[in-house]
Each structure stands twice: as structure tokens, then as C-alpha cells.
Amino acid sequence: MRKTLGLALVALAVAGTARAADLPDGKWWKHPGITAEIGLTPEQSSEIEKIFVRSRTRLIDLRADLEKKQLALQGSMEDKAADRKAVEKNIEAVENARAELQKTRALMILDMKQILKPEQWERLMQKQQERRERMQEQRRMFREEGARPRPGPQGRRPNG
């Protein structure tokens, strides 16, 4: 019982780390602006690339497995004669596949984090937070713009 509880807590911590350490999209370690801003060396970039390449095939396979299990769940949910036990089994399969994907991604991020100096990691997380805030602001502005008349061809709002 204690071992199961301990494993569950570790899984939650790893999943939380993956979400908290949501990295910029794409190969951020090859983006000149990011590398310059956090002071990433070519050696660090090379090591991070190796980690990514090593993890990529497994991540692709896990994503495909998750999609297949989601499709099976969808089919069982749409079945008019759905068997509760079968649906429950499909739900568990989806959640287990999702957990395995998150675990693998979190461990990849942990490996990448260990290549960086603590201040580099902090700066990377700060840049990602700034990016998120900019995106939220853009979404908010877009929603507000959608409620107002659009500017005319000269960039001015139409009168009346």
C-alpha cells in the first residue's frame, strides 16, 4: 500500500514538473534569440539535441499509442450496447497511455534541465512565462476587438 502511494506521489510530482516546466515550442535550443538570451553554449545545445533525438522515437510511439486508445474509447462510448466494464477498461488504457507519455516527456525535460546551469534554466522558464503572458494578452485583445467594429482601409474606425 505504501509503495503504491509512494509511486503515485512520484508520478504526480513528475507530471507536475512537466507542466510547470513547459518548454518553448520546437527546438528552442537551436533558436538564436533564446540561446543568446539564456547563454546556451554550442556544447549544451549539442547535448540537448542528443537527449531530444534519443527521446523522440519513444515520444512518437507513445503519442500514437495514446491516439489509438482514445479512438478505441470513443468507439466504445458511441456503441449503443456499450458494456460498462469494457468502457472502463478503455478509459484506464487511455489514462495509462497519457501518463506514460507525460512521464517520458517529463524525464526528457529533466535530462535537458540537467544540462543547463540553474540560472539558464530560470531564464528559460522566465522567457516561457513571458511568452504565455503575451499570448494571453493577444487573446484578450482579439476577443475585445471582435466585439468592436473593425478599422476601415485607412486604419480608422468607420464613423457612425
Side-chain angles (χ1 to χ4, degrees):
M1 175 72 175
R2 284 185 185 206
K3 185 177 181 181
T4 304
L5 181 60
L7 289 173
L9 290 173
V10 169
L12 284 173
V14 168
T17 301
R19 285 191 192 108
D22 200 16
L23 297 173
D25 295 331
K27 291 186 173 188
W28 57 267
W29 58 94
K30 293 194 176 234
H31 188 279
I34 294 174
T35 58
E37 201 156 335
I38 71 168
L40 192 69
T41 67
E43 294 78 17
Q44 287 173 311
S45 181
S46 176
E47 286 300 311
I48 291 171
E49 177 70 14
K50 288 177 189 171
I51 291 166
F52 175 74
V53 168
R54 201 170 50 232
S55 303
R56 189 170 183 198
T57 302
R58 176 125 172 91
L59 289 169
I60 290 168
D61 290 344
L62 290 171
R63 272 190 212 102
D65 184 52
L66 174 59
E67 286 184 33
K68 289 176 188 175
K69 286 181 169 68
Q70 288 172 329
L71 186 61
L73 173 60
Q74 181 181 356
S76 67
M77 292 293 289
E78 291 172 356
D79 183 0
K80 291 184 184 192
D83 173 39
R84 184 178 178 87
K85 291 269 187 210
V87 171
E88 204 172 318
K89 183 178 175 185
N90 285 339
I91 292 169
E92 284 183 36
V94 166
E95 292 309 313
N96 289 336
R98 182 175 287 123
E100 188 62 27
L101 176 61
Q102 285 299 97
K103 174 184 162 187
T104 301
R105 183 173 183 275
L107 291 173
M108 179 188 74
I109 291 170
L110 177 64
D111 291 344
M112 289 176 171
K113 178 182 177 184
Q114 291 175 339
I115 299 299
L116 302 176
K117 295 176 184 173
E119 58 273 10
Q120 288 174 312
W121 179 256
E122 288 300 318
R123 184 64 186 134
L124 183 61
M125 292 298 96
Q126 181 182 6
K127 282 197 60 64
Q128 182 61 6
Q129 180 61 34
E130 290 167 3
R131 181 180 159 275
R132 256 190 238 109
E133 289 169 3
R134 277 193 312 275
M135 289 176 66
Q136 287 174 347
E137 180 63 18
Q138 288 172 349
R139 278 190 219 112
R140 185 188 63 74
M141 289 175 65
F142 181 74
R143 281 191 304 268
E144 288 176 5
E145 279 292 316
R148 290 189 230 140
R150 299 201 185 276
Q154 305 303 321
R156 290 175 269 150
R157 301 214 179 268
N159 294 331

